[in-house]
Amino acid sequence: MMDGLNPQQRAAVTLPEQHALVLAGAGSGKTRVLATRMAWLIQTGQASPFGLMAVTFTNKAAREMLSRLAGRLPVQPRGMWVGTFHGLCNRLLRIHHAEAGLPADFQILDMADQLAAIKRMLKAAQVDDSLFAPRDVQYFINAAKESGVRADAIRPRDTRERHLTEFYQRYQAQCEREGVVDFGELLLRATELLERDATLRAHYQQRFRHILVDEFQDTNALQYRWLQLLAQGGACIFAVGDDDQSIYAFRGADVGNMADFQRHYARDCVIRLEQNYRSSGHILAAANALIAHNESRLGKNLWTDAGEGEPIRVSEQFTDALEAQWIVDEIRAMLREGQARDQVALLYRSNAQSRLLEHALFSAGLPYKVTGGLRFFERQEIRHALAYLRLMLNIRDDTSWLRVVNFPPRGIGARSLEKLGDLAREQASSLSEAVDGMSGRSGVSLAAFRNLIDTMRERTQDMGLPELVAHVIEHSGLVRHYEQDREGADRLENLRELVSAAAAFVLEQEWEDWPAMTPDSRIVADVDMAPSVAGLSPLAAFLSHAALEAGDNQAQAGQDAIQLMTVHAAKGLEFDVVFITGLEDGLFPHENSAQQAAGLEEERRLMYVAITRARRRLFLTLAQSRMLHGKTRYSRRSRFLDELPEAHLKWLGVRSAPGGHTDVPPAWRSAASTAARRNTGLGSSVTVRDQDFRIGQGVRHARFGEGTIVGLSGNGLDAQARIQFADVGSKTLALGIAKLDIIAG
DNA sequence: CTTATGGGCTTTTTT
DNA sequence: AGCCCATAAG
């Protein structure tokens, strides 16, 4: 079991019973240490599989942990408490829903649901949402919950905070009324439950002797509180983390928890894993050099005894389309040499960047898989279907009710709903109940909708989950609606996919065959409880699965595919070949990060995470111009590029000076224009006032002198040209205004 | 009152 | 390029 572990790793795995902090650098075998430690604890008889808890942040990491464990243990690890913070808290609340004051079938709001709920609350409170953007309110509420604070505990410092606190209060009341919880609430409720209920607390404190925490640097105040609470009965916390990879401060994560944990728990027991087994020398050296620019660090330097490897290749192109094309060409060449496709990853800072890359890969006929972005359960048609399904369980769920009351259109408009809302507020009832008080034509339509829901609920009472889902998408009218929609084919396909997903889900759950819950057996039985569900209806289980695991956005279209994802999503993964794309100031580091304190340092850690995903080959790419939100933007290269030592880099393609002007060697110019002509993203010619401009065209400007057109966008008098001037660098000129003479081409 | 249509605004990252 | 909302037609 310990084969191939280095002394530090071995020490971590075989630590005696005590709290410990493992500072594990990127690629130092962190996941392996965690899984091996769990197996070791069990096999040496120091812990039973049910006396262990392992917490991760992502579902992916939890699955990874379980699969590594499965290979090493004689028992099925599935019933063990291994999962995400949210997943485990959900499990706790499902088992003890009554004690937590929740309905058995409580539903989970994702971010979009939550935002809709907040908008509704603001409307009900007659708040001018130009003064309070729903997003800001959402942010405020989540930040409060993440730090473990209820509305009544907030002492507002100004009028604005007083209002926000009041909204938090109202929103919470609304959630209670409707029987729904948001992500933050899962954690807060679970924590409060344990704090309040001494019997439960004692039970879980005695049960879990070992608590292992992955990615400890990403814990927020509330998660830390939850962990401390569980460990108060004498359990040992084995925390693994890397402060240099803390990239979730934006959602409340506090790296300070590591220092605090070290001080209060693991004072004498800190183990550093600094040998990197993943990346070759140049890559690792560049990562170290980059992260050294950060001020606040616990301090750590990774080393490797692998060779230097290849230098990091940097490519700068004129446009984002050219950047994508360059990447595709490079990938093709590697594939010809036998590179496995699924070992090639394309990383980007924001999801919007995937579109163009996907387009280029698709055109080249290269299979790819996108992780994250618009995921399956987040698609509009799926959300509609899920809303109907939620109403089968909980008619009070006004968010879902409003989502589908007029979809497909049933002649129920904003006006009627406003009236209905007023009525519901007056009698403090759900929207569904308020239907009775509505008169006139809209009353009839509303009653018809309620009958539809009721009928579906009755008819599906005894159905299995897949049949139930099929019945609901059919009888809700969704299927017919999308059949009639000319663009609806894909959506229809996804709805069918939902039925398959339900079938697959059932299969997976039946694997485990869980005992039914009775009130008296609640504490004893949880030992054998299914990961997601406890005596819960299959539908409720499926819905919480959908909320907590949004799923990938493509049905596994071929395993052997190029991997596309955000840098955040790539954390914890590794690939032979990594492309980090869009390395431009404003994009990476992202411009929004500049406003937040310590924002730049977090961006730098993000870049550090990106670099350290690569085993053998790393490519950094950027584009001088990029389409963003429908507009072309010009940017200079990322400052992070300038923080990487030249010795590890090899520049390909254009290279602009740090100041932003482009310095193009004459010999290169024609190559650039040839490349530019292949550009699919921008037009290749434009006519303004009877003058024809095309890419590659030579022009003369009265002040800037002679240059070459390297990019065109827009039409007519709004057209703009990106021109590479011989003397003054590249400029963007409006063709309707600038006076240009055509000289050659 | 509802539904269709075009203009304005937007998105950083995730459980 | 897509989503939400104000405006116009049924």
Side-chain angles (χ1 to χ4, degrees):
Chain A
M1 180 165 68
M2 307 287 191
D3 292 349
L5 293 187
N6 69 29
Q8 291 77 30
Q9 291 174 327
R10 186 181 297 251
V13 166
T14 60
L15 273 176
E17 297 214 355
Q18 59 183 307
H19 297 301
L21 176 64
V22 180
L23 291 173
S28 63
K30 167 186 73 111
T31 312
R32 182 154 181 228
V33 164
L34 268 170
T36 314
R37 169 138 179 107
M38 288 181 80
W40 181 80
L41 284 170
I42 293 169
Q43 286 180 352
T44 56
Q46 297 182 67
S48 95
F50 300 115
L52 284 179
M53 172 187 284
V55 203
T56 62
F57 276 81
T58 63
N59 295 301
K60 216 187 303 177
R63 273 195 297 272
E64 170 79 15
M65 182 97 73
L66 281 173
S67 81
R68 291 211 195 191
L69 220 46
R72 294 179 184 175
L73 291 182
V75 298
Q76 251 284 344
R78 300 202 48 168
M80 292 174 58
W81 282 59
V82 176
T84 63
F85 277 101
H86 294 86
L88 295 180
C89 286
N90 179 44
R91 206 198 288 195
L92 199 72
L93 292 175
R94 293 289 173 192
I95 299 170
H96 307 293
H97 65 88
E99 293 90 332
L102 288 170
D105 284 344
F106 71 84
Q107 288 306 314
I108 301 167
L109 302 182
D110 65 18
M111 291 285 273
D113 295 326
Q114 187 190 34
L115 190 63
I118 287 171
K119 283 183 184 164
R120 200 147 42 77
M121 176 275 297
L122 288 175
K123 189 162 268 173
Q126 299 183 313
V127 174
D128 178 3
D129 57 5
S130 64
L131 282 173
F132 291 94
R135 271 194 185 285
D136 294 346
V137 179
Q138 181 178 36
Y139 182 83
F140 178 85
I141 293 173
N142 288 338
K145 289 195 177 186
E146 275 151 12
S147 45
V149 178
R150 292 286 180 197
D152 50 27
I154 298 177
R155 291 180 12 93
R157 281 169 309 190
D158 50 35
T159 327
R160 185 183 159 73
E161 276 194 9
R162 211 183 61 239
H163 285 299
L164 286 169
T165 305
E166 189 203 324
F167 300 153
Y168 179 11
Q169 192 82 264
R170 282 171 179 266
Y171 162 78
Q172 193 57 38
Q174 177 180 293
C175 289
E176 305 280 341
R177 225 172 24 244
E178 297 173 7
V180 296
V181 302
D182 56 47
F183 284 139
E185 187 70 17
L186 284 173
L187 284 155
L188 188 49
R189 272 284 167 130
T191 307
E192 289 172 344
L193 172 65
L194 292 177
E195 282 168 346
R196 196 176 51 230
D197 190 322
T199 315
L200 281 184
R201 184 171 66 239
H203 167 72
Y204 285 103
Q205 284 175 345
Q206 280 159 31
R207 172 175 165 185
F208 296 118
R209 306 314 302 162
H210 292 272
I211 300 171
L212 296 89
V213 191
D214 191 15
E215 311 276 15
F216 191 72
Q217 75 282 355
D218 288 331
T219 49
N220 62 35
L222 182 55
Q223 288 159 338
Y224 191 34
R225 180 167 135 201
W226 186 74
L227 287 171
Q228 287 176 296
L229 195 60
L230 280 172
Q232 266 166 24
C236 304
I237 299 180
F238 185 85
V240 182
D242 177 2
D243 54 316
D244 289 332
Q245 293 188 66
S246 154
I247 55 175
Y248 284 105
F250 72 91
R251 70 169 200 217
D254 179 4
V255 210
N257 288 342
M258 284 185 86
D260 186 89
F261 181 74
Q262 179 177 352
R263 237 187 339 272
H264 291 109
Y265 292 86
R267 180 174 281 282
D268 314 310
C269 194
V270 177
I271 293 181
R272 288 184 141 77
L273 305 181
E274 294 184 302
Q275 182 174 4
N276 175 293
Y277 294 96
R278 181 184 297 156
S279 309
S280 55
H282 280 303
I283 295 172
L284 198 58
N288 279 335
L290 179 89
I291 202 66
H293 284 84
N294 271 6
E295 306 259 314
S296 51
R297 299 179 64 205
L298 291 181
K300 165 171 54 39
N301 229 354
L302 286 177
W303 58 278
T304 178
D305 57 15
E308 286 217 304
E310 299 174 20
I312 298 165
R313 271 169 276 216
V314 189
S315 159
E316 176 167 0
Q317 301 293 331
F318 283 124
T319 68
D320 46 359
L322 286 172
E323 179 196 24
Q325 189 55 49
W326 187 87
I327 292 169
V328 165
D329 291 344
E330 207 63 36
I331 291 177
R332 272 206 183 118
M334 279 186 286
L335 294 181
R336 273 198 297 276
E337 289 162 18
Q339 173 63 53
R341 275 196 292 262
D342 61 353
Q343 278 304 315
V344 178
L346 270 50
L347 309 184
Y348 34 82
R349 174 68 237 265
S350 65
N351 280 304
Q353 289 166 254
S354 77
R355 183 172 291 279
L356 200 57
L357 295 169
E358 287 184 64
H359 178 79
L361 289 166
F362 185 82
S363 310
L366 294 173
Y368 63 90
K369 178 173 182 289
V370 186
T371 304
L374 183 60
R375 284 172 287 202
F376 182 71
F377 287 113
E378 289 169 358
R379 287 165 192 279
Q380 183 205 117
E381 62 277 16
I382 299 300
R383 299 189 74 101
H384 282 131
L386 292 176
Y388 278 107
L389 290 169
R390 287 178 177 196
L391 290 176
M392 298 298 100
L393 291 176
N394 178 7
I395 195 66
R396 291 179 303 154
D397 182 348
D398 287 351
T399 304
S400 299
W401 206 86
L402 281 174
R403 178 169 195 100
V404 292
V405 64
N406 198 34
F407 194 96
R410 300 187 172 90
I412 303 168
R415 206 53 225 275
S416 310
L417 291 174
E418 204 163 302
K419 258 197 238 162
L420 185 71
D422 291 344
L423 197 59
R425 213 166 316 123
E426 269 169 41
Q427 55 193 52
S429 72
S430 68
L431 293 171
S432 172
E433 282 172 284
V435 167
D436 285 331
M438 294 288 285
S439 53
R441 260 198 23 194
S442 57
V444 175
S445 312
L446 283 165
F449 174 70
R450 197 180 55 183
N451 285 339
L452 173 71
I453 298 294
D454 288 345
T455 311
M456 284 200 292
R457 185 182 307 107
E458 281 161 28
R459 300 251 300 268
T460 55
Q461 212 53 254
D462 300 315
M463 286 184 186
L465 182 61
E467 296 93 315
L468 189 161
V469 175
H471 181 95
V472 167
I473 63 174
E474 184 68 44
H475 290 80
S476 59
L478 285 176
V479 167
R480 199 178 337 129
H481 179 263
Y482 287 123
E483 274 170 355
Q484 283 161 7
D485 186 348
R486 233 174 333 106
E487 321 258 276
D490 281 353
R491 299 192 189 273
L492 216 49
E493 179 70 22
N494 285 329
L495 285 175
R496 312 258 181 243
E497 183 79 25
L498 185 66
V499 180
S500 315
F505 179 77
V506 169
L507 228 57
E508 207 165 291
Q509 296 298 312
E510 275 173 358
W511 224 165
E512 0 233 319
D513 195 354
W514 304 101
M517 287 295 289
T518 64
D520 295 323
S521 67
R522 67 190 166 92
I523 284 183
V524 198
D526 77 283
V527 172
D528 299 314
M529 210 54 68
S532 53
V533 224
L536 199 61
S537 77
L539 177 56
F542 181 60
L543 290 174
S544 72
H545 164 80
L548 287 174
E549 275 187 68
D552 292 336
N553 80 336
Q554 283 186 336
Q556 315 284 6
Q559 291 290 56
D560 187 22
I562 291 156
Q563 307 287 308
L564 273 70
M565 65 194 85
T566 64
V567 180
H568 282 89
K571 187 155 83 142
L573 306 178
E574 55 183 278
F575 306 92
D576 283 342
V577 182
V578 169
F579 289 82
I580 307 174
T581 70
L583 279 169
E584 297 133 42
D585 252 21
L587 198 60
F588 199 177
H590 198 277
E591 53 201 348
N592 293 7
S593 70
Q595 279 115 45
Q596 298 153 30
L600 190 64
E601 295 222 335
E602 175 142 322
E603 293 287 307
R604 193 176 282 113
R605 288 192 294 270
L606 198 52
M607 181 69 183
Y608 175 78
V609 167
I611 293 176
T612 52
R613 298 309 95 196
R615 290 198 197 99
R616 294 176 24 233
R617 282 183 173 175
L618 179 61
F619 294 86
L620 309 177
T621 69
L622 63 151
Q624 291 174 1
S625 73
R626 179 177 299 276
M627 274 289 245
L628 218 59
H629 311 149
K631 283 207 167 60
T632 308
R633 286 179 32 152
Y634 298 93
S635 22
R636 18 180 266 169
R637 74 176 192 232
S638 169
R639 65 194 73 191
F640 294 153
L641 275 171
D642 298 321
E643 293 175 3
L644 304 179
E646 283 293 323
H648 307 302
L649 306 182
K650 182 173 174 189
W651 286 80
L652 308 163
V654 213
R655 178 183 184 180
S656 59
H661 350 264
T662 312
D663 189 0
V664 188
W668 188 83
R669 235 180 265 166
S670 62
S673 47
T674 318
R677 277 189 209 107
R678 292 202 321 231
N679 172 1
T680 51
L682 300 171
S684 63
S685 78
V686 133
T687 305
V688 182
R689 286 203 284 252
D690 292 324
Q691 271 186 310
D692 287 323
F693 295 97
R694 59 174 208 282
I695 289 177
Q697 183 94 58
V699 291
R700 181 184 296 111
H701 183 272
R703 216 167 86 223
F704 300 134
E706 290 185 9
T708 308
I709 298 180
V710 296
L712 288 167
S713 65
N715 288 307
L717 293 179
D718 291 328
Q720 295 191 322
R722 178 79 172 163
I723 299 168
Q724 180 65 50
F725 288 103
D727 299 320
V728 296
S730 70
K731 303 260 177 213
T732 305
L733 302 178
L735 292 175
I737 298 167
K739 292 205 168 46
L740 289 169
D741 294 322
I742 293 174
I743 52 176

